[in-house]
């Protein structure tokens, strides 16, 4: 159970690193006119996911140590939901139709954030109670 909680926390740290590196790379991309922000951001965003997947698929420790099944569900759902944030951001930047209203886009961020955190909490809660 500790391993599962640690894996979920590690994924949260990896996501924070991805966001921070994305912000740094956006500033760098303004100075490097030959590279677009997406060319710098996308590889930086996928690296923490790859590192987390490698740790989950092949955990270090005793030979009998395995990753609980619910952790795989957490990783998959977080990946899907985090990519939904990118879709909302894309639609908000396009600003067409309902998305032209800034408040509409922000409400979608709030709803998506609530849904993602609720799903994560239930997955961790139910997974840690499973015997």
């Amino acid at each position: 159970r500790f391993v599962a909680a640690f894996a979920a926390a590690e994924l949260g740290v990896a996501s924070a690193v991805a966001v921070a590196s994305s912000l740094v790379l956006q500033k760098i991309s303004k100075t490097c006119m030959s590279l677009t922000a997406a060319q710098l951001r996308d590889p930086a965003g996928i690296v923490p996911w790859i590192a987390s997947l490698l740790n989950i698929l092949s955990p270090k420790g005793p030979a009998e140590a395995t990753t609980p099944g619910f952790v795989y569900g957490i990783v998959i759902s977080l990946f899907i939901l985090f990519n939904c944030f990118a879709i909302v951001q894309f639609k908000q930047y396009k600003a067409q139709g309902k998305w032209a209203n800034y408040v509409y886009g922000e409400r979608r961020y709030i709803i998506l954030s609530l849904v993602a955190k609720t799903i994560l909490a239930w997955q961790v809660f139910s997974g840690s109670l499973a015997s």
Side-chain angles (χ1 to χ4, degrees), residues 41-57:
R41 180 193 63 230
D42 294 344
I46 197 72
V47 169
W49 283 101
I50 292 171
S52 296
L53 281 175
L54 289 175
N55 279 333
I56 290 169
L57 294 175

Side-chain angles (χ1 to χ4, degrees), residues 45-80:
I46 197 72
V47 169
W49 283 101
I50 292 171
S52 296
L53 281 175
L54 289 175
N55 279 333
I56 290 169
L57 294 175
S58 60
K60 303 207 176 10
E64 64 274 357
T66 59
T67 304
F70 74 94
V71 175
Y72 296 111
I74 290 173
V75 171
I76 292 167
S77 66
L78 283 180
F79 183 78
I80 291 168

